[in-house]
Amino acid sequence: EAMARAGAGALLALWVLGAAAHPQCLDFRPPFRPPQLLRLCAQYSDFGCCDEGRDAELTRRFWDLESRVDAAEWAACAGYARDLLCQECSPYAAHLYDAEDPFTPLRTVPGLCQDYCLDMWHKCRGLFRHLSTDQELQALEGNRARFCRYLSLDDTDYCFPYLLVNKNLNSNLGHVVADAKGCLQLCLEEAANGLRNPVAMVHARDGTHRFFVAEQVGLVWAYLPDRSRLEKPFLNISRAVLTSPWQGDERGFLGIAFHPSFRHNRRLYVYYSVGIRASEWIRISEFRVSEDDENAVDHSSERILLEVKEPASNHNGGQLLFGDDGYLYIFTGDGGMAGDPFGTFGNAQNKSALLGKVLRIDVDRKERGLPYGIPPDNPFVGDPAAQPEVYALGVRNMWRCSFDRGDSASGAGRGRLFCGDVGQNKFEEVDLVERGGNYGWRAREGFECYDRSLCANSSLNDVLPIFAYPHTIGKSVTGGYVYRGCEYPNLNGLYIFGDFMTGRLMSLHENPGTGQWHYSEICMGHGQTCEFPGLINNYYPYIISFGEDEAGELYFMSTGEPSATAPRGVVYKIIDPSRRAPPGKCQIQPAQVKIRSRLIPFVPKEKFIPKTRSTARPTARAPTRAPRRRRPTVAPPPPTPRPARPTQQPGSRRGGGRRRGRLNSANRAFRDGEVRLVRPAGLSSGSGRVEVFVGGRWGTVCDDSWNINGAAVVCRQLGFAYAVRAVKSAEFGQGGSLPILLDNVRCAGWERNLLECQHNGVGTHNCEHDEDAGVVCSHQNPDL
């Protein structure tokens, strides 16, 4: 309740729903604020469905109507004519014209309230002959009751002119919708699907408006502005990336960033896990795009910039960002395990360690024998007890950070660095990272002390989060972005983030007068809120990451199965159904891109789910109010009940560190293209006969054309970094009880499954089971 009162003064105005209001224009999209005053339909100059061009067209129709009507009749009926024509500009035009989807026949006259229609029929019924070509309506002109019944609406809340005075429909019209609990009602649009733990979505800032989605297994896919995907991966380092199919494994391909001058130097940077036997480390590398194909990386161009040994397999960090200063920011985890047990004070508080830090380097020059330069204003340059790369410390495991683009008009907020820092076992937090800041771990978790002896140290001088929430609300924060896009003006300045474990979407909005941050949860719209063509109101619960496209529109990535090999990840675009920008304002003109790979058209798979109530929330007690410190802070309001999410899997990204858990394959539906290995007794894990699932059945693969490329596809699907050998002649046994499903399989090695490789066709073969194919896979590089 306290937060609800505080939020009332924020710039983000909310519309608390009474009825299921649903503003919608005749183009099946939300209304907008016209950039200029309307002349004919002036009552909709503040908010509606017409810009000055549409208003001018209606004005021409109005004067054309006058030329066809008797002067005396026009004197009595011009007001009615204006009323009816201007309902195309009403924010509820789609309701008035029964046009709530592209498949509904459009009415020629807006739906009228009964007494208004009866009055107009009595005075001006001849006007309808010039307003409508509907012959059935014209045939009813002589029967007042039937005529007005024909023009009525089933939903009388929306009939004209009563909808103009309906408080439920007009209260704060055009503002972000919130339910009675203050939960913002937003919608989604599917942008990509079939991804295996999508960990990042980035753009190249090169004017092409492509976006690139990275999978944890080590592949990056390029998408064009129309959301079609190039068949060939933009980057494929899956053989080098260390990860596994176990749910909760934090290792893998974790981050990607394009150089600010990518348009000219074609350089990009990646952050990934590598390992040999028991040793694991993180690697930051530079790559260049191929001279022959601007949609493919030259894999031979890798230049390793930095490697940091990891003492454990969790808390690997993973974010890469370029700031306005041109420097590369690197976000490392504290090294893993639980409680940062490394050394006297832990890695995060140790300035001589690179773990548990925000690092900043200059990738455009080299110095001190390093493959990069040290920015001269890094806070600990010259401190012999500190690593010069350190920009900020006291970090546990910052998972997803972003720079604020700033307000497009004033520039306010530009350059602020937001991070979600994963907590230990009590609190998750959102930080504003500043040069030289100490963010408290392991002395503090959220606002509370974790290591009391360190917390009492007066020299700690740590920076408190702008927001923290307890594990009754969520257990794994996923940092997001401040919305600065063009399409949804109401969201400007709203920081949107989420929680991996509970699937909760959340937001913070700053009161510029007080500096206080106000919390609102985000729910999927209920009733008709998201009933627009192409929009959906549901998403998979494991929120992995957030991203922006080149225009600044906001997206998030989540999955239904958090395994690096499960293709259940989806990219969602965040939509405000209450208001959009005026038509034409946000048009983009992407620079041309030469395409050398086959394009795979985007086919959305997610569906709108009708529901009468917004998504509920899990029961939680209100968190302890934060102590007042240097930075204004805020605690969230007490949430209300929500259906329980799936229980935390062993090794989830929380608590005592994410551990490797059990592969969750029991009692689930298999998908076409999935593979498994069947091995004789005594054979090691990673070796066996290949069996593939297609069309509801398992079957074998013949060894015709079978080589190391096909083996690489299978091994990568199963979570192995390396394919050691392609096995032929049923060396690992015959699958005699199964059908032979694939023969003459020819792979390039980058395909996501064997069905994407060339083959004779499912079930078409000229071989027997004594030619069943197999593989030997490994987590270790066989050449070392």
Side-chain angles (χ1 to χ4, degrees):
E1 292 177 359
M3 278 307 305
R5 290 194 296 271
L11 291 183
L12 181 73
L14 303 180
W15 171 13
V16 179
L17 278 177
H22 184 230
Q24 189 179 22
C25 300
L26 290 178
D27 62 357
F28 318 111
R29 299 192 63 204
F32 53 88
R33 183 172 297 162
Q36 297 180 17
L37 293 177
L38 307 183
R39 300 187 65 182
L40 180 72
C41 305
Q43 70 269 40
Y44 298 119
S45 289
D46 289 334
F47 190 69
C49 292
C50 291
D51 58 11
E52 58 273 22
R54 186 62 183 156
D55 184 63
E57 170 61 25
L58 292 173
T59 301
R60 286 191 291 271
R61 287 170 56 188
F62 178 77
W63 294 119
D64 178 67
L65 196 61
E66 182 198 32
S67 68
R68 292 186 282 126
V69 174
D70 177 81
E73 183 182 6
W74 184 250
C77 300
Y80 286 112
R82 182 193 298 261
D83 279 351
L84 268 58
L85 287 172
C86 285
Q87 294 323 298
E88 292 186 24
C89 299
S90 167
Y92 293 106
H95 294 270
L96 286 163
Y97 286 87
D98 278 345
E100 294 182 49
D101 64 64
F103 311 105
T104 305
L106 188 69
R107 297 172 64 122
T108 56
V109 177
L112 303 180
C113 300
Q114 188 74 0
D115 54 354
Y116 180 91
C117 179
L118 293 174
D119 184 63
M120 185 178 176
W121 182 91
H122 179 72
K123 297 177 182 178
C124 301
R125 61 180 176 271
L127 199 62
F128 287 100
R129 301 170 203 158
H130 306 287
L131 283 169
S132 173
T133 57
D134 186 339
Q135 294 184 356
E136 188 173 352
L137 176 66
Q138 293 175 5
L140 295 174
E141 186 178 313
N143 187 318
R144 186 175 71 167
R146 293 180 63 191
F147 182 87
C148 288
R149 190 157 50 246
Y150 185 82
L151 288 178
S152 66
L153 288 175
D154 291 337
D155 190 344
T156 56
D157 284 336
Y158 289 100
C159 69
F160 179 82
Y162 286 171
L163 87 167
L164 297 177
V165 295
N166 186 317
K167 290 184 179 180
N168 284 332
L169 299 182
N170 292 280
S171 176
N172 293 316
L173 184 62
H175 295 298
V176 176
V177 179
D179 65 14
K181 300 293 185 180
C183 196
L184 307 187
Q185 305 280 294
L186 298 182
C187 306
L188 302 174
E189 187 176 277
E190 188 180 355
N193 53 43
L195 293 157
R196 293 165 297 183
N197 270 12
V199 294
M201 172 188 166
V202 296
H203 60 88
R205 292 192 270 192
D206 63 351
T208 64
H209 289 268
R210 292 173 294 173
F211 62 94
F212 302 84
V213 180
E215 295 180 314
Q216 188 178 353
V217 289
L219 281 82
V220 179
W221 301 97
Y223 293 80
L224 299 186
D226 65 359
R227 298 178 182 170
S228 58
R229 176 176 67 82
L230 275 72
E231 184 179 47
K232 180 181 177 182
F234 177 71
L235 174 69
N236 181 0
I237 56 171
S238 56
R239 290 196 178 193
V241 169
L242 174 64
T243 190
S244 77
W246 310 117
Q247 291 193 11
D249 194 338
E250 297 181 32
R251 304 165 304 170
F253 188 103
L254 301 175
I256 179 172
F258 287 81
H259 193 283
S261 299
F262 173 79
R263 187 191 307 234
H264 307 293
N265 63 29
R266 303 167 75 90
R267 284 153 49 189
L268 62 140
Y269 301 83
V270 300
Y271 186 131
Y272 63 99
S273 304
V274 291
I276 298 176
R277 299 179 179 87
S279 297
E280 298 180 6
W281 60 93
I282 55 173
R283 174 181 291 167
I284 314 300
S285 287
E286 175 189 273
F287 285 90
R288 292 178 183 268
V289 170
S290 168
E291 294 294 332
D292 300 323
D293 186 353
E294 58 187 310
N295 291 300
V297 165
D298 177 359
H299 291 79
S300 68
S301 69
E302 182 173 16
R303 181 170 73 97
I304 297 173
L305 298 182
L306 179 66
E307 290 185 333
V308 183
K309 185 172 176 57
E310 286 278 2
S313 62
N314 59 334
H315 300 182
N316 305 104
Q319 184 74 56
L320 294 178
L321 294 172
F322 277 97
D324 285 343
D325 53 17
Y327 297 135
L328 179 63
Y329 291 71
I330 303 167
F331 300 78
T332 65
D334 66 5
M337 298 194 197
D340 193 5
F342 308 104
T344 305
F345 306 113
N347 282 325
Q349 291 298 321
N350 181 0
K351 295 176 187 176
S352 68
L354 294 179
L355 293 172
K357 306 293 188 301
V358 180
L359 310 177
R360 185 172 69 154
I361 63 174
D362 184 349
V363 298
D364 293 326
R365 62 187 181 90
K366 303 175 184 178
E367 64 174 83
R368 307 181 191 183
L370 298 171
Y372 52 84
I374 303 296
D377 62 339
N378 268 10
F380 304 109
V381 169
D383 182 346
Q387 295 282 1
E389 294 90 345
V390 174
Y391 181 80
L393 67 151
V395 169
R396 185 176 182 272
N397 192 35
M398 284 183 167
W399 183 248
R400 293 314 175 230
C401 304
S402 63
F403 280 106
D404 185 355
R405 291 185 179 212
D407 183 85
S408 60
S410 68
R414 184 176 180 86
R416 295 183 298 179
L417 178 52
F418 290 80
C419 285
D421 197 7
V422 174
Q424 178 66 41
N425 49 32
K426 287 187 177 180
F427 293 98
E428 306 299 304
E429 66 184 65
V430 176
D431 295 303
L432 269 178
V433 176
E434 298 173 345
R435 175 182 173 273
N438 183 342
Y439 291 86
W441 177 250
R442 73 182 187 203
R444 195 183 304 277
E445 179 187 8
F447 299 118
E448 294 193 1
C449 290
Y450 178 81
D451 184 321
R452 296 194 175 275
S453 61
L454 282 179
C455 196
N457 190 331
S458 60
S459 66
L460 182 66
N461 195 31
D462 60 317
V463 182
L464 289 178
I466 62 169
F467 178 74
Y469 60 92
H471 280 192
T472 49
I473 290 178
K475 296 183 178 180
S476 180
V477 66
T478 300
Y481 284 78
V482 176
Y483 178 83
R484 298 297 188 185
C486 172
E487 296 181 15
Y488 303 105
N490 283 340
L491 302 185
N492 183 45
L494 192 68
Y495 178 70
I496 296 178
F497 63 108
D499 189 274
F500 174 82
M501 288 304 300
T502 62
R504 189 185 294 264
L505 285 170
M506 297 170 277
S507 71
L508 298 173
H509 194 272
E510 185 182 25
N511 184 319
T514 64
Q516 292 280 340
W517 290 88
H518 303 284
Y519 169 88
S520 296
E521 189 171 341
I522 293 173
C523 298
M524 293 296 96
H526 65 80
Q528 293 180 307
T529 303
C530 297
E531 284 194 19
F532 293 90
L535 297 195
I536 55 176
N537 58 350
N538 57 94
Y539 58 91
Y540 287 117
Y542 297 101
I543 299 173
I544 300 173
S545 192
F546 286 77
E548 279 183 322
D549 64 20
E550 195 165 351
E553 299 306 320
L554 187 55
Y555 301 74
F556 72 92
M557 289 140 275
S558 68
T559 183
E561 184 176 345
S563 163
T565 59
R568 297 188 62 193
V570 178
V571 179
Y572 302 95
K573 182 179 181 181
I574 294 175
I575 305 291
D576 173 18
S578 64
R579 177 190 169 196
R580 58 167 158 154
K585 181 178 180 181
C586 303
Q587 286 183 343
I588 61 171
Q589 295 181 330
Q592 291 296 310
V593 179
K594 288 185 179 180
I595 306 298
R596 297 184 181 274
S597 171
R598 187 171 74 91
L599 285 177
I600 300 175
F602 171 62
V603 178
K605 297 180 179 179
E606 306 303 311
K607 304 297 183 183
F608 175 86
I609 300 176
K611 53 186 177 183
T612 57
R613 301 180 62 186
S614 58
T615 306
R617 294 168 285 174
T619 303
R621 62 175 178 82
T624 305
R625 189 175 294 274
R628 293 196 173 272
R629 287 284 296 273
R630 296 179 303 280
R631 186 182 303 285
T633 58
V634 65
T640 52
R642 172 190 212 162
R645 292 287 186 188
T647 56
Q648 184 172 349
Q649 296 291 331
S652 294
R653 201 191 324 153
R654 275 309 173 281
R658 211 162 55 181
R659 302 172 298 277
R660 282 170 229 157
R662 293 171 293 127
L663 181 62
N664 185 19
S665 60
N667 300 320
R668 66 178 177 86
F670 295 103
R671 294 173 180 79
D672 283 355
E674 287 196 39
V675 291
R676 66 187 181 189
L677 298 184
V678 178
R679 64 180 190 270
L683 206 60
S684 63
S685 174
S687 302
R689 181 180 66 249
V690 175
E691 295 184 355
V692 61
F693 186 83
V694 187
R697 56 182 179 164
W698 287 97
T700 62
V701 178
C702 276
D703 62 20
D704 293 339
S705 302
W706 188 245
N707 60 23
I708 196 66
N709 290 339
V713 173
V714 170
C715 292
R716 188 172 60 249
Q717 273 188 271
L718 297 172
F720 292 91
Y722 302 99
V724 178
R725 188 161 62 94
V727 174
K728 296 189 173 188
S729 302
E731 180 180 332
F732 293 149
Q734 299 184 21
S737 63
L738 298 176
I740 297 172
L741 293 182
L742 295 179
D743 187 15
N744 200 24
V745 177
R746 302 174 298 283
C747 301
W750 48 259
E751 294 87 350
R752 291 187 291 181
N753 59 55
L754 295 179
L755 296 181
E756 293 186 0
C757 302
Q758 297 182 44
H759 53 80
N760 287 350
V762 175
T764 301
H765 64 89
N766 58 358
C767 59
E768 301 298 332
H769 282 294
D770 59 0
E771 298 177 65
D772 281 347
V775 294
V776 176
C777 306
S778 175
H779 291 298
Q780 312 299 331
N781 188 337
D783 298 326
L784 297 177

